[in-house]
Structures are given as C-alpha cells and as structure tokens.
Amino acid sequence: MANEIGAELRRIRKSRGESIVEVAMATHTSPASFTKWENEQTIPSERSVRKLSEYYDVKPEKLLGLAYPEKYAPKDETPAATPAPSNAIRIEDVISPATELSYNGQLVSEQDKRLFGAFVSGILLSGKQDKD
C-alpha cells in the first residue's frame, strides 16, 4: 500500500504556500525528516503527525488514518444496504414521537407505542446477532 501521508502533507503545505523549511521549523522537525515524509521514504511518527495536524488545523484522525491505516482508518462496519422499495415504511418513522399509530380504529397510547418499538427493536437485534 502506498504511503498516502506523504502526498497529503505535500498537498497541504503547497496549498498554504509554505516551504519545507518553514513547516519544519514551525513544527520542530528537521527539514530532512519532512522531505523524507513527503517523498514517501519514511512515515512520520504518530507524535509528529499529531503536531502537523495541529499546525495545519486538520483533524488528527485524517492524517493518522493516512499514515497508519491499519490503526486509524475508519472501518466500514456496515455492509452496503439494499435499497428499500418505494412503498417501504421506515420503522424509525413508525415509532417516532411525531407519528400517531392506530389499531382497529383506536389510537395507540404512547406507552404501547414504546412497547411496540422495543419489541420490534428486539426482533431486529436478535436477527442481527444470529447473522454474526
């Protein structure tokens, strides 16, 4: 896997119009180290990445995810969802406080609605656990 942190450090630095020496001095690193990072010869330490993210005003997770993807890159834990048919009703909408439910022509009480929501959630969660 290519070292993506080097290209991103170069892109940020150039977009700010700064030299390697300027950034190195401001972040208390050596120009030689910074050059190696940008040229993807070495990867900066986590501490250096945090200093750079602070200096560049970038979320540390963004740069850490590029430098150390196995440790910091966001994990896509949810599989791609199958699109719901156009006539589908979202369960979240059914149990929303703004939605009134009725059964046999009578409005369902808020307490019964919460019980219904808990019941449906339990069914959905048990099905998810069976898949894991």
Side-chain angles (χ1 to χ4, degrees):
M1 175 182 220
N3 174 4
E4 297 176 28
I5 186 71
E8 183 65 6
L9 291 176
R10 175 178 284 119
R11 186 195 66 73
I12 295 170
R13 178 182 60 78
K14 288 190 172 201
S15 72
R16 292 169 53 120
E18 296 176 318
S19 71
I20 287 177
V21 173
E22 289 171 319
V23 175
M25 286 178 58
T27 58
H28 305 288
T29 56
S30 74
S33 292
F34 203 87
T35 301
K36 287 181 183 180
W37 299 337
E38 281 195 1
N39 291 330
E40 302 180 355
Q41 294 171 342
T42 61
I43 298 173
S45 68
E46 289 183 43
R47 182 172 181 243
S48 294
V49 172
R50 289 181 189 281
K51 281 196 293 184
L52 290 164
S53 63
E54 183 178 326
Y55 176 73
Y56 285 144
D57 195 26
V58 174
K59 290 186 179 186
E61 296 81 21
K62 177 182 178 185
L63 295 180
L64 285 166
L66 294 173
Y68 300 96
E70 65 285 347
K71 187 173 180 181
Y72 291 102
K75 306 286 188 255
D76 185 19
E77 295 177 11
T78 57
T82 305
S86 62
N87 64 345
I89 299 172
R90 293 176 3 120
I91 291 175
E92 297 91 335
D93 294 338
V94 171
I95 59 176
S96 164
T99 304
E100 292 185 350
L101 294 180
S102 66
Y103 179 72
N104 284 340
Q106 300 287 322
L107 284 178
V108 175
S109 70
E110 283 301 314
Q111 180 180 0
D112 287 345
K113 193 170 150 181
R114 283 192 297 273
L115 286 171
F116 175 75
F119 178 75
V120 170
S121 296
I123 290 172
L124 294 174
L125 287 173
S126 76
K128 182 180 178 189
Q129 289 173 350
D130 291 343
K131 292 177 185 176
D132 294 341

